[in-house]
Amino acid sequence: MIFFLGRDVDPRVLVEELASKHGMSSKLVTLSFGQNSSLNIEALIHSAVTRGDWVLIQNIHLAEDLCRELDVAVSGISKNTSHHDFRLFLTTEITDKIPISLVRLAVKKSVEKPMSIKKSMKQLTKTIPSEIFGAGVKTRLAF
């Protein structure tokens, strides 16, 4: 799964909660491309696939070379040969530095800060065509 990040958002807590809920906290490996430039991505992924670990790699957009290695490692994963508990979570900002083949293989999730109710309602009303929205009974919303 790839999390495409909005401003000031960190899905690490969500992944940690999910791992805890499924009894996988002890098998969750978390790292960041911004901190570890000398990783052996292929060995890490192979080990996790074999043992059934959960892997969270944050900020993959910060290292193009490691992204390419990650792409190669992920393309070698097969449902038939991987442990049934294995999960891979990636976080990135929206950028063209991520190999498209990696994006195509993944489930994609956009993560943004929650809006206030007022802002959410204003955004929702903008999506309704004016002929439909204006045809109803006039009501004033107060926030």
Side-chain angles (χ1 to χ4, degrees):
M1 174 176 276
I2 295 180
F3 292 101
F4 289 100
L5 306 175
R7 288 184 53 191
D8 302 324
V9 177
D10 183 10
R12 179 184 49 82
V13 174
L14 298 172
V15 174
E16 288 173 348
E17 287 174 358
L18 187 64
S20 177
K21 180 180 174 183
H22 290 278
M24 297 297 290
S25 294
S26 63
K27 296 185 87 176
L28 176 63
V29 178
T30 304
L31 55 111
S32 175
F33 272 9
Q35 297 170 347
N36 301 306
S37 59
S38 61
L39 292 170
N40 185 340
I41 295 298
E42 196 165 348
L44 173 74
I45 297 298
H46 177 72
S47 173
V49 166
T50 304
R51 296 185 335 198
D53 291 342
W54 284 22
V55 179
L56 170 61
I57 305 175
Q58 299 180 99
N59 303 319
I60 64 172
H61 60 281
L62 296 178
E64 277 185 75
D65 54 332
L66 290 175
C67 266
R68 285 189 290 275
E69 289 179 40
L70 180 62
D71 184 30
V72 170
V74 169
S75 66
I77 298 172
S78 164
K79 186 176 182 179
N80 298 330
T81 59
S82 64
H83 193 283
H84 66 278
D85 287 335
F86 169 71
R87 302 290 184 275
L88 176 62
F89 303 93
L90 308 171
T91 71
T92 182
E93 292 180 358
I94 296 174
T95 178
D96 60 355
K97 295 178 182 178
I98 309 300
I100 193 68
S101 54
L102 185 61
V103 175
R104 285 184 181 146
L105 287 171
V107 173
K108 291 147 281 290
K109 174 81 173 133
S110 177
V111 185
E112 298 179 18
K113 269 186 161 178
M115 290 190 280
S116 68
I117 292 174
K118 181 178 179 179
K119 190 173 182 180
S120 181
M121 288 301 292
K122 282 184 176 183
Q123 187 174 357
L124 175 65
T125 57
K126 287 179 185 177
T127 64
I128 300 171
S130 59
E131 58 273 359
I132 295 172
F133 191 71
V137 177
K138 301 288 182 196
T139 305
R140 179 165 160 58
L141 296 176
F143 291 98

